[in-house]
Amino acid sequence: MQQKPARVRIVDAAHELMRTAGLARTTTKEIARAAGCSEAALYKYFPSKEDLFITVLSERLPKLAPLLNTLVESPGGHSVEENLTTIARQAALFYAESFPIAASLYAEPRLKQRHDDAMRAIGAGPHMPIRRLDAYLRAEQRAGRVGPEADTYAAASLLLGACAQRAFAYEMSEDGVPPHPLDEFAAGIARTLLKGIA
């Protein structure tokens, strides 16, 4: 059986280690070892651990950014409710996968600061989905499908905040399972939000 290319092995190893040990506790040395390559080979493909983290988010986790970018560019393909339902579903999946990876950063303030600085330098961060969803809702507002008085930034924050909270809140419940299945949750969030901004 042919071995996967080095870059693929590195991203696979990073995803698994970041998912199980958290971003803060995963070193480039461990990633290289798990990928079966040298640390120098890792840096050939990725200039920093943050760049590798962004690659893991964009290539291994449920796709949120491409969906938002597509909707900003051509918002009228489906109804606003259908689009918001799709966004809520993808966002809930994305946050459920990304929280375990990034959560360990909050235990180490200096590492988190370095990470935040590196993310800003490459134009990334958790604020970006809110900005893109806000841009989509403003496009719908210009098209007359969202009310002219609606606060699109607040609406974007509410939808994505609810999806992030779903990923976080139910870990401590008796069975660790949200009360509503994902599709039902996404449809309910979209429908409820739309009532406030239509």
Side-chain angles (χ1 to χ4, degrees), residues 18 22 26 44 50 59 94 101-102 107 119 125-126 160 175 181 197:
M18 289 174 180
T26 299
K44 175 183 167 190
E50 285 74 24
E59 294 183 11
F94 175 81
I101 292 173
M119 295 288 276
L160 293 174
D175 57 4
I197 64 173

Side-chain angles (χ1 to χ4, degrees), residues 12-184:
D12 285 347
H15 178 217
E16 182 58 24
L17 286 167
M18 289 174 180
R19 192 179 61 75
T20 56
L23 181 61
R25 291 186 174 79
T26 299
T27 66
T28 53
K29 187 175 287 189
E30 289 169 330
I31 293 167
R33 187 180 319 117
C37 66
S38 68
E39 202 170 1
L42 184 148
Y43 284 111
K44 175 183 167 190
Y45 296 99
F46 304 100
S48 69
K49 190 166 83 169
E50 285 74 24
D51 282 287
L52 182 51
F53 174 58
I54 291 298
T55 301
V56 167
L57 291 181
S58 64
E59 294 183 11
R60 296 297 185 272
L61 271 57
K63 306 290 188 244
L64 181 56
L67 169 64
L68 292 172
N69 291 338
T70 298
L71 289 172
V72 168
E73 291 165 16
S74 51
H78 296 283
S79 72
V80 177
E81 185 173 339
E82 288 171 317
N83 288 338
L84 291 176
T85 300
T86 301
I87 292 166
R89 187 178 195 290
Q90 284 301 103
L93 290 169
F94 175 81
Y95 290 124
E97 287 279 324
S98 62
F99 266 15
I101 292 173
S104 62
L105 281 174
Y106 288 86
E108 301 183 39
R110 284 186 301 193
L111 180 59
K112 183 179 181 308
Q113 184 60 56
R114 285 200 316 269
H115 174 77
D116 291 351
D117 292 344
M119 295 288 276
R120 281 187 202 99
I122 59 177
H127 61 292
M128 295 305 288
I130 298 172
R131 285 185 180 175
R132 297 311 287 160
L133 180 50
D134 177 37
Y136 160 67
L137 290 171
R138 281 185 280 114
E140 292 287 17
Q141 203 169 40
R142 287 189 298 274
R145 300 195 326 161
V146 164
E149 302 300 316
D151 184 335
T152 56
Y153 185 82
S157 299
L158 287 168
L159 185 142
L160 293 174
C163 294
Q165 185 66 10
R166 184 180 195 272
F168 173 76
Y170 294 100
E171 292 290 318
M172 294 299 290
S173 66
E174 296 77 18
D175 57 4
V177 177
H180 303 290
L182 178 59
D183 289 338
E184 185 181 322

Side-chain angles (χ1 to χ4, degrees), residues 3-12 35-37 41 44-46:
Q3 191 176 40
K4 292 179 183 176
R7 185 187 180 282
V8 174
R9 294 195 322 269
I10 291 166
V11 176
D12 285 347
C37 66
K44 175 183 167 190
Y45 296 99
F46 304 100

